[in-house]
Amino acid sequence: MLTATAAHTLATAGAVLSDESRTTAGILLLALVTVETGGMYMVKIVRGDAPVTEFQEKFARAGHAHAGVLLLLALICQILADSTTQTGALDWLSRSGVAVAALLMPGGFFFASMGKGRTKPNGFIAMVFAGAALLAISLLSLGIGLLTA
């Protein structure tokens, strides 16, 4: 728990989000509701109420986990991106790249495993790899932006 002094320090330390970060953070928080909905689907799977193969269950778990973790990471990136001096494409990568990866990677897991009785991924698995590449590039951009600010 924060002491009164620590809370006052945080409140006055200039921890104000830019308009861009505030808007993106609001959208990301609303998107987390879809992850909650996906959690209900996971409950159906583990209860045996949704007929899926072992492969589909594993991909559903991976998609659900990546969605939640990457959306939270994207929220953190909003605060950190405000601390850089980046502009243009580098700012977009640092601020929004992780959020887009949070769509691509889980989407890839879900779409690659769709279809009754599927036991191996279809071509949509490419979305997972595209998301992973974007995630890596975005994190590099943000990390370098923070170190050079």
Side-chain angles (χ1 to χ4, degrees), residues 64-113:
H64 184 64
H66 278 81
V69 169
L70 291 176
L71 283 173
L72 291 175
L73 180 58
L75 278 167
I76 294 166
C77 288
Q78 300 314 299
I79 299 164
L80 297 175
D82 281 349
S83 296
T84 72
T85 57
Q86 293 174 315
T87 59
L90 291 176
D91 182 54
W92 184 90
L93 280 170
S94 295
R95 186 177 304 284
S96 301
V98 175
V100 174
L103 295 171
L104 286 172
M105 293 179 77
F109 283 115
F110 294 127
F111 290 131
S113 62

Side-chain angles (χ1 to χ4, degrees), residues 108-144:
F109 283 115
F110 294 127
F111 290 131
S113 62
M114 284 179 136
K116 186 175 181 179
R118 183 168 293 283
T119 58
K120 62 181 183 175
N122 61 29
F124 283 109
I125 192 68
M127 290 173 64
V128 175
F129 296 108
L134 180 57
L135 176 63
I137 292 167
S138 299
L139 293 175
L140 285 168
S141 175
L142 181 54
I144 291 168

Side-chain angles (χ1 to χ4, degrees), residues 49-72:
D49 296 336
V52 295
T53 64
E54 183 179 334
F55 159 74
Q56 288 172 318
E57 180 179 347
K58 287 179 181 178
F59 263 49
R61 286 178 188 266
H64 184 64
H66 278 81
V69 169
L70 291 176
L71 283 173
L72 291 175

